[in-house]
């Protein structure tokens, strides 16, 4: 980081990236349910309408399918839209547009027409989000050639990846976790990019490689703190981009540690962790010292009640125990304090959802 | 439109425009394509000089498409933002083998649906070239006057199979009589007869155009057949744009 950098919230970093993109290029516009709202989509779009006008900062009818089509049509005619969804699930109504149109036009036109579209989606958690408002479906979109999928875990990358996504000439799915919105981090004032397709080694250690993404990167780092006290040091790789996957960074780390744990932000089956372990096994299976392992969301719909939701997500303690188990080491960790809220990222988070 | 008006219209329309239309018509007849109406309207609009530099968009679809949710979403958005768009529904009563009765209530009316969303509407006989021309002109005028988007519906019929160049009536999914009646309403033949009656074209000119178009089509087919297939590299270079 070169110039002036200051502590900013993840949501503010997204707002800043959007404002910079809108300022730099008149073909960029942002559209979504509640974008010009007084709450500014969890703070991520505050002030944009006032600066750029309602022809570039747009609300929309509750027609996700049609509006994604409108965004794609505008991209075909030279605009660079940012479309937002308050929940990943709202984008499900527009999967045909994303998969059949946005992802396919460049191929179908033999390279003549690209679709520079960014779609922001937010993963919900806690506060009764429940089965239909908390799914982490990055693997669905990552399955499709023609799409790119990014998931920042820090405010720095939230800004850098959004700027990169807008500048990318392809459809980019930008998935942000609601519990990251209020996290703080150092963010430079100026415009900068985080490269799409490049993971980040967040902490180093040679005992084991942990690969994580999105909110699970935060949980993995908390686990690492617990483990350091037990004399266990891990490489933690924050993926940042799901597709294209930075497999080389993962391979380098696993070649060193010879042990892998993937902490999946979503369901494990047919998901991100399945893909990573598959590729690592293809290339390194004979040099691994332990079977690659993964931990992720329980293979059930996510419940609304916090009484059950607490069983469903990986936690720093569960991650730490998993690492210890792989290393066949006894560690002493206190059990979860029943008084710590499990339905919020921390006590300061008072909503809304 | 009565006989006198038709004549007047034709006196206003330049002869070469008629011939252009006939060329297209004959071309279509040679191809035996039911896309005639589709392309004709497009061509007609293309030849109309727009006074404003702003573009108008025309989108064509069948009666089946009006059942999709995204159709309503599009109507709503177009009306909300007064998008300069003309929605053209070619209602041929079938979605592959499913006739209209199994897909839409008999009480349903696409024109009033479009009206209910806030659009201007026009409806006509899709096999009458002059009527299509006339209504399309009206639609464009409405947009140029800033009156908002237009929904147009044309009744028509499909002769051959939904996808492909063959006849599939041997499958017996529709009434033979119905097919015969509609074939009498062939837009190409009827328009040609009209132009001959009006002495705007003669048989020699038709023959001349037909042979020229035959040749053009044959050359195009040969060009396609003799062109090489794409190389394998194209597969991988057209997934992402750099």
């Amino acid at each position: 980081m070169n110039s002036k950098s200051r502590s900013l919230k993840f949501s503010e970093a997204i707002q800043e990236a959007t404002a910079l993109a809108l300022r730099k290029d008149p073909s960029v516009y942002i559209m979504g349910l509640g974008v010009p709202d007084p709450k500014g989509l969890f703070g991520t779009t505050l002030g944009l309408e006032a600066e750029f006008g309602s022809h570039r900062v747009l609300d929309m009818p509750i027609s996700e399918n049609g509006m994604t089509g409108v965004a794609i049509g505008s991209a075909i005619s030279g605009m660079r839209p940012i479309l937002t969804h308050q929940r990943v699930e709202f984008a499900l109504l527009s999967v045909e547009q994303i998969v059949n149109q946005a992802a396919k036009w460049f191929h179908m036109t033999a390279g003549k027409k690209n679709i520079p579209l960014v779609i922001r989606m937010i993963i919900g958690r806690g506060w009764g989000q429940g089965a239909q408002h908390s799914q982490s479906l990055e693997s669905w979109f990552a399955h499709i050639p023609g799409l790119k999928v990014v998931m920042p875990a820090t405010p720095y990358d939230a800004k850098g990846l959004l700027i990169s996504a807008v500048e990318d000439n392809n459809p980019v799915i930008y998935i942000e976790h609601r519990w990251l919105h209020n996290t703080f981090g150092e963010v430079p004032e100026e415009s900068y990019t985080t490269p799409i397709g490049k993971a980040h080694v967040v902490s180093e250690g040679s005992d084991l490689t942990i690969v994580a993404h999105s909110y699970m990167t935060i949980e993995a780092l908390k686990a690492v703190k617990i483990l350091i006290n037990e004399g266990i040091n891990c490489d933690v790789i924050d993926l940042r981009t799901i597709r294209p996957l930075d497999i080389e960074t993962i391979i380098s780390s696993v070649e060193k540690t010879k042990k892998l744990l993937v902490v999946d932000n979503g369901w494990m089956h047919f998901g991100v962790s399945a893909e990573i372990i598959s590729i690592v096994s293809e290339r390194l299976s004979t040099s691994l010292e332990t079977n690659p392992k993964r931990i992720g969301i329980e293979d059930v719909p996510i419940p609304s009640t916090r009484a059950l939701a607490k069983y469903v997500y990986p936690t720093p303690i569960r991650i730490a125990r998993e690492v210890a188990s792989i290393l066949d080491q006894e560690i002493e960790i206190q059990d979860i304090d029943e008084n710590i809220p499990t339905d919020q990222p921390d006590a300061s988070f008072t909503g809304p959802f | 439109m009565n006989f006198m008006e038709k004549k007047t219209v034709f006196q206003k329309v330049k002869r070469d425009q008629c011939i252009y239309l006939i060329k297209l018509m004959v071309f279509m007849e040679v191809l035996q394509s039911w896309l005639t109406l589709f392309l004709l309207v497009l061509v007609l609009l293309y030849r109309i000089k727009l006074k404003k530099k702003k573009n108008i968009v025309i989108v064509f679809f069948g009666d089946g498409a009006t059942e999709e949710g995204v159709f309503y979403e599009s109507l709503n958005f177009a009306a909300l933002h007064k998008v300069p768009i003309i929605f053209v529904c070619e209602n041929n009563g079938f979605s592959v083998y499913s006739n209209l009765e199994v897909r839409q209530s008999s009480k349903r009316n696409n024109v009033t649906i479009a009206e209910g969303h806030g659009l201007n509407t026009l409806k006509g006989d899709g096999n009458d070239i002059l009527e299509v021309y006339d209504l399309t002109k009206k639609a464009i005028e409405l947009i140029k006057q800033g009156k908002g988007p237009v929904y147009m519906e044309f009744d028509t019929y499909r002769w051959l199979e939904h996808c492909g160049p063959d006849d599939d009536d041997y499958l017996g999914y529709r009434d033979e009589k119905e097919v015969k009646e509609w074939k009498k309403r062939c837009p190409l033949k009827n328009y040609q007869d009209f132009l001959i009656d009006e002495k705007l074209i003669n048989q020699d000119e038709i023959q001349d155009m037909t042979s020229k178009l035959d040749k053009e089509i044959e050359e195009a087919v040969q060009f396609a057949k003799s062109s090489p297939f794409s190389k394998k590299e194209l597969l991988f270079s057209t997934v992402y744009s750099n």
Side-chain angles (χ1 to χ4, degrees), chain B residues 32-35 61-65 90 92-98 103 157-171 173-174:
Chain B
Q32 293 185 337
S33 165
W34 64 273
L35 290 168
F61 45 89
D63 42 287
E90 299 169 61
N92 68 8
F94 283 91
S95 174
V96 195
Y97 304 128
S98 310
R103 294 181 284 114
Y157 204 72
R158 170 170 53 79
W159 289 18
L160 302 176
E161 55 190 345
H162 165 76
C163 179
D166 297 322
D167 195 298
D168 66 357
D169 284 326
Y170 67 89
L171 291 170
Y173 65 94
R174 53 188 190 178

Side-chain angles (χ1 to χ4, degrees), chain A residues 63 65-67 106-107 146-147 169-170 243, chain B residues 70 73 76-77 80 237-242:
Chain A
S63 307
N65 189 331
M67 294 315 297
F106 194 62
H107 163 89
L147 295 181
N169 286 326
N170 299 284
R243 179 172 187 134
Chain B
V70 73
E73 296 182 8
N76 181 51
F77 181 78
L80 176 66
S237 64
T238 55
V239 183
Y240 294 102
S241 172
N242 293 322

Side-chain angles (χ1 to χ4, degrees), chain A residues 221-242:
Chain A
L221 288 170
K222 289 178 190 160
V224 159
K225 272 208 179 109
I226 296 170
L227 292 164
I228 280 175
N229 291 335
E230 302 287 328
I232 297 170
N233 298 289
C234 299
D235 260 4
V236 176
I237 298 174
D238 174 21
L239 286 177
R240 304 197 298 186
T241 299
I242 309 301

Side-chain angles (χ1 to χ4, degrees), chain B:
Chain B
M1 192 188 264
N2 66 34
F3 185 83
M4 281 308 295
E5 280 179 279
K6 280 179 183 170
K7 203 173 171 184
T8 319
V9 165
F10 271 87
Q11 283 162 357
K12 282 183 184 167
V13 172
K14 287 176 196 161
R15 191 185 160 83
D16 59 353
Q17 277 181 316
C18 277
I19 291 174
Y20 186 94
L21 283 168
I22 295 161
K23 273 190 187 178
L24 194 65
M25 195 182 84
V26 174
F27 174 75
M28 291 304 161
E29 194 172 357
V30 168
L31 280 185
Q32 293 185 337
S33 165
W34 64 273
L35 290 168
T36 305
L37 178 70
F38 192 113
L39 286 162
L40 251 180
V41 175
L42 198 62
V43 163
L44 283 168
L45 287 160
Y46 220 85
R47 286 182 65 79
I48 292 164
K49 281 201 175 107
L50 299 174
K51 282 179 185 162
K52 291 184 191 168
K53 280 195 176 170
K54 291 176 190 173
N55 295 334
I56 292 178
V57 175
I58 301 186
V59 58
F60 297 86
F61 45 89
D63 42 287
T66 67
E67 293 148 22
E68 286 285 355
V70 73
F71 173 64
Y72 303 94
E73 296 182 8
S74 305
L75 291 178
N76 181 51
F77 181 78
L80 176 66
H81 289 286
K82 278 198 152 168
V83 179
I85 186 169
I86 301 173
F87 294 95
V88 180
C89 176
E90 299 169 61
N91 188 349
N92 68 8
F94 283 91
S95 174
V96 195
Y97 304 128
S98 310
N99 70 41
L100 204 61
E101 286 154 28
V102 306
R103 294 181 284 114
Q104 297 183 17
S105 155
S106 58
K107 291 187 193 162
R108 177 195 161 109
N109 184 333
N110 281 334
V111 169
T112 53
I113 286 172
E115 234 166 60
H117 280 76
L119 282 86
N120 305 292
T121 60
L122 296 161
K123 185 171 161 71
D125 177 359
N127 284 22
D128 182 331
I129 287 179
L130 293 176
E131 189 169 324
V132 171
Y133 182 97
D134 192 44
L135 290 176
T136 308
K137 215 170 152 188
K138 283 200 174 96
I140 290 169
E141 253 327 291
L142 283 166
I143 292 186
K144 282 158 89 170
Q145 287 164 13
K147 299 243 167 86
V150 183
Y151 171 81
M152 287 206 293
E153 186 163 303
F154 291 112
D155 291 320
T156 185
Y157 204 72
R158 170 170 53 79
W159 289 18
L160 302 176
E161 55 190 345
H162 165 76
C163 179
D166 297 322
D167 195 298
D168 66 357
D169 284 326
Y170 67 89
L171 291 170
Y173 65 94
R174 53 188 190 178
D175 184 10
E176 266 183 55
K177 261 186 259 154
E178 181 185 87
V179 180
K180 277 202 180 103
E181 279 308 308
W182 273 97
K183 284 190 172 175
K184 286 185 198 156
R185 293 167 63 179
C186 173
L188 304 182
K189 184 172 188 310
N190 291 342
Y191 190 65
Q192 180 175 291
D193 288 346
F194 167 76
L195 290 172
I196 289 169
D197 289 345
E198 291 297 304
K199 300 199 179 359
L200 289 163
I201 199 166
N202 65 46
Q203 289 295 349
D204 286 338
E205 285 166 310
I206 292 173
Q207 189 48 51
D208 184 46
M209 269 191 253
T210 307
S211 47
K212 283 203 174 96
L213 285 169
D214 274 346
K215 184 167 175 286
E216 196 179 325
I217 292 166
E218 188 50 37
E219 282 168 7
V221 170
Q222 284 315 314
F223 175 75
K225 284 186 171 172
S226 62
S227 295
F229 280 104
S230 306
K231 296 208 158 70
K232 187 175 177 184
E233 289 72 41
L234 192 70
L235 260 184
F236 302 101
S237 64
T238 55
V239 183
Y240 294 102
S241 172
N242 293 322

Side-chain angles (χ1 to χ4, degrees), chain A residues 47-350:
Chain A
L48 294 177
E49 191 189 15
E51 181 175 347
F52 301 101
S54 59
H55 61 292
R56 291 181 73 199
V57 180
L58 302 140
D59 213 325
M60 64 179 225
I62 306 174
S63 307
E64 290 83 357
N65 189 331
M67 294 315 297
T68 306
V70 166
I72 292 166
S74 74
I76 289 168
S77 333
M79 305 296 287
R80 302 185 81 91
I82 303 171
L83 186 61
T84 67
H85 293 289
Q86 291 197 27
R87 283 294 177 272
V88 172
E89 286 87 349
F90 304 162
L92 296 183
L93 291 143
S94 64
V95 168
E96 196 275 344
Q97 299 282 359
I98 297 171
V99 168
N100 261 354
Q101 313 300 333
K104 302 291 188 290
W105 270 68
F106 194 62
H107 163 89
M108 293 193 301
T109 60
K112 290 191 183 64
K113 245 325 157 179
N114 63 303
I115 310 290
L117 166 67
V118 176
I119 307 180
R120 281 179 49 202
M121 303 177 188
I122 299 173
I123 299 169
R125 180 170 167 176
W127 284 64
Q129 291 310 289
Q132 298 171 330
H133 276 50
S134 54
Q135 290 163 98
S136 196
L137 298 176
E138 58 273 23
S139 62
W140 278 29
F141 301 105
H143 189 62
I144 312 297
L147 295 181
K148 295 189 182 181
V149 181
V150 300
M151 296 180 78
T154 64
Y156 181 87
D157 287 329
K159 178 173 171 178
L161 277 174
L162 187 53
I163 292 175
S164 291
V166 173
E167 292 180 359
D168 199 299
N169 286 326
N170 299 284
V172 180
I173 310 294
Y174 178 105
I175 304 179
E176 50 200 85
H177 200 285
R178 179 71 185 109
W179 280 18
L180 290 170
H181 279 156
N182 289 3
T183 60
F184 283 88
E186 289 300 302
V187 179
E189 263 179 9
E190 81 276 13
S191 182
Y192 61 89
T193 55
T194 295
I196 292 179
K198 205 81 192 67
H200 184 219
V201 180
V202 186
S203 94
E204 288 187 51
S206 47
D207 292 325
L208 183 142
T209 300
I210 299 176
V211 178
H213 63 281
S214 193
Y215 191 70
M216 286 304 131
T217 299
I218 310 301
E219 300 289 70
L221 288 170
K222 289 178 190 160
V224 159
K225 272 208 179 109
I226 296 170
L227 292 164
I228 280 175
N229 291 335
E230 302 287 328
I232 297 170
N233 298 289
C234 299
D235 260 4
V236 176
I237 298 174
D238 174 21
L239 286 177
R240 304 197 298 186
T241 299
I242 309 301
R243 179 172 187 134
L245 199 60
D246 181 2
I247 200 61
E248 294 311 322
T249 299
I250 299 171
I251 296 288
S252 291
S253 170
V254 180
E255 271 170 344
K256 178 180 76 175
T257 65
K258 312 221 186 286
K259 300 176 201 71
L260 173 64
L261 171 67
V262 186
V263 185
D264 206 323
N265 194 63
W267 290 301
M268 292 176 284
H269 300 111
F270 304 92
V272 174
S273 53
E275 180 65 21
I276 292 169
I277 289 177
S278 177
I279 301 179
V280 168
S281 302
E282 283 173 340
R283 289 179 53 175
L284 295 179
S285 62
T286 52
S287 46
L288 291 174
E289 286 173 5
T290 56
N291 287 338
K293 298 216 76 187
R294 51 191 174 157
I295 179 174
I297 294 182
E298 284 294 339
D299 202 29
V300 297
I302 295 166
S304 277
T305 167
R306 63 178 180 269
L308 292 178
K310 69 184 183 206
Y311 296 124
V312 147
Y313 293 97
T315 63
I317 287 177
R318 284 188 198 130
I319 296 168
R321 286 205 172 119
E322 196 66 42
V323 172
S325 157
I326 295 169
L327 297 173
D328 203 15
Q329 226 175 288
E330 293 281 330
I331 55 172
E332 272 191 37
I333 313 177
Q334 287 156 316
D335 271 327
I336 260 185
D337 178 352
E338 288 300 321
N339 293 320
I340 293 175
T342 55
D343 219 35
Q344 302 154 254
D346 55 71
S348 75
F349 186 88
T350 52

